[in-house]
Amino acid sequence: MDEPRSDLKADADERAESPDFESLTPPRELVRGERTRDDFFDAVLGLDSPATISDIADRAGHGTDAAREYLEWFERMGIATQVTESPATYERNQEYLRWRRIQRLRTQYTTDELLEYLSAETERDEEYADRFDVDSPDAVSITAHASEVDRTVEDVWEDVTAWQTTRRRIALLERAITTGSGGSSEERTAV
Amino acid sequence: MTDRSDEGASADGNGAPVDFDRLDLLAERLSTDDRFTQVEATPDFAPDRVACVYDPGFYPRSVREARLEIVWFENGDFTVHYHEDHAEGTFDHRWDRHPSDHNTRDHVHPGPDAPTPGTNVSHPSDWRDVLSTVLTAIEERQRGFWTE
């Protein structure tokens, strides 16, 4: 990154009270959690396909014995799912993460608020469908659309990801709202 | 139901939704840090980013505000934007991983105007490494304010 322009730099007076950068937590430590558990949680959260125990141990920066232990625990907690037996592979349990998010929506907002959000998101969804003239963001080819309407790929990508996010929110909100009338054990299989 | 196979399809060039779980985790880690006076994950219901405001103590008076905005998507795409407000003008630097017609998927838009096209780079694959690289680069710039 560029150096600050000289006219922006601290003057002599200000320099007398320079900030203490040395006391800051180094970035490498900051972005990692403090515990071994955090390393494994991060490794599992970062998986986009099933991974072996030794692969997950590598990603977490710990040994395979610890990996096996944490993966078994995560599986019991619903964070990870074992996909194959031999070799044992695991993936992140997306369904659990969704379920946890839905629970959080239900504790943070009232049903009326959730309904309001849902109607705003649904409106947004319709606007995107009109603008792209297809019924789902998955039906948009970003590069083809960009050249068609003479916009940059970057701009179109931004809109399409925002649309994908809107879709994701609608799904979460709908489940949070329908969960309200049912029992808390139902939402894992709801929708 | 939206499941992982749908996400796989979206990752193929139709974009992917914001990864709310990753943003929460990221905000949780950053919120305890002395660099920032404020760290907010998805501040209201709608916004899809973690917004971090740097402690003004790391800057001379010429910098009115500095902030870092972070967005991550479920397919691993991201955009991380560092922004400074000055009495006269601004400074921006962006680290990006997403499709574009001017750069490779991994690229940066360096200051002062974060121009297009940016510079092709290769970001680390682990989000934590990307973020620690970003924080280190910002710290280097901050230190630069205090040298003659």
Side-chain angles (χ1 to χ4, degrees), chain B:
Chain B
M1 177 162 47
T2 315
D3 60 26
R4 303 212 69 193
S5 57
D6 287 347
E7 279 157 32
S10 331
D12 254 1
N14 303 92
V18 165
D19 189 338
F20 301 121
D21 294 298
R22 196 176 333 221
L23 290 193
D24 279 354
L25 187 61
L26 215 144
E28 193 186 301
R29 300 265 162 89
L30 299 184
S31 61
T32 57
D33 194 55
D34 293 339
R35 284 170 180 76
F36 307 112
T37 52
Q38 201 187 331
V39 172
E40 266 190 299
T42 58
D44 255 308
F45 183 76
D48 304 319
R49 58 194 58 223
V50 174
C52 313
V53 179
Y54 269 100
D55 186 327
F58 294 108
Y59 297 89
R61 279 186 301 273
S62 63
V63 179
R64 287 178 169 169
E65 190 188 71
R67 60 176 187 267
L68 186 63
E69 295 196 353
I70 305 166
V71 191
W72 234 280
F73 299 91
E74 286 186 0
N75 65 355
D77 283 356
F78 62 82
T79 168
V80 178
H81 186 177
Y82 173 68
H83 175 87
E84 284 169 13
D85 268 330
H86 310 142
E88 288 168 40
T90 53
F91 173 87
D92 292 275
H93 191 100
R94 281 204 335 258
W95 294 260
D96 285 323
R97 172 177 294 152
H98 60 75
S100 95
D101 42 10
H102 50 74
N103 282 109
T104 55
R105 202 167 188 93
D106 281 9
H107 56 276
V108 295
H109 298 274
D113 304 308
T116 301
T119 311
N120 294 338
V121 293
S122 186
H123 297 301
S125 58
D126 188 317
W127 67 269
R128 296 167 304 177
D129 294 335
V130 173
L131 208 57
S132 90
T133 309
V134 164
L135 292 171
T136 304
I138 295 169
E139 190 176 314
E140 275 166 29
R141 177 168 166 89
Q142 288 169 332
R143 285 171 185 266
F145 282 106
W146 303 93
T147 55
E148 272 183 87

Side-chain angles (χ1 to χ4, degrees), chain A residues 48 52 75 81 89 94 103 116 119 155 174 183 189:
Chain A
D48 42 26
T52 63
E75 193 177 23
T81 318
T89 59
Q94 196 60 38
Q103 294 306 308
E116 226 170 88
S119 109
D155 282 351
E174 280 175 343
T189 49

Side-chain angles (χ1 to χ4, degrees), chain A residues 104-178:
Chain A
R104 211 173 296 161
L105 283 175
R106 292 188 34 71
T107 32
Q108 275 173 358
Y109 303 102
T110 65
T111 303
D112 281 351
E113 283 171 327
L114 293 174
L115 284 165
E116 226 170 88
Y117 291 137
L118 179 61
S119 109
E121 295 294 328
T122 307
E123 204 173 301
R124 194 168 301 165
D125 181 40
E126 284 161 6
E127 281 166 18
Y128 283 124
D130 276 353
R131 193 185 322 162
F132 284 98
D133 201 22
V134 288
D135 59 10
S136 153
D138 288 330
V140 181
S141 160
I142 293 177
T143 38
H145 184 85
S147 73
E148 207 173 291
V149 296
D150 198 23
R151 292 177 67 206
T152 66
V153 166
E154 216 159 356
D155 282 351
V156 175
W157 169 79
E158 251 186 60
D159 282 352
V160 175
T161 53
W163 191 8
Q164 297 276 15
T165 303
T166 295
R167 281 286 171 106
R168 170 59 39 81
R169 277 218 173 86
I170 289 173
L172 292 172
L173 286 164
E174 280 175 343
R175 285 173 63 180
I177 290 162
T178 50

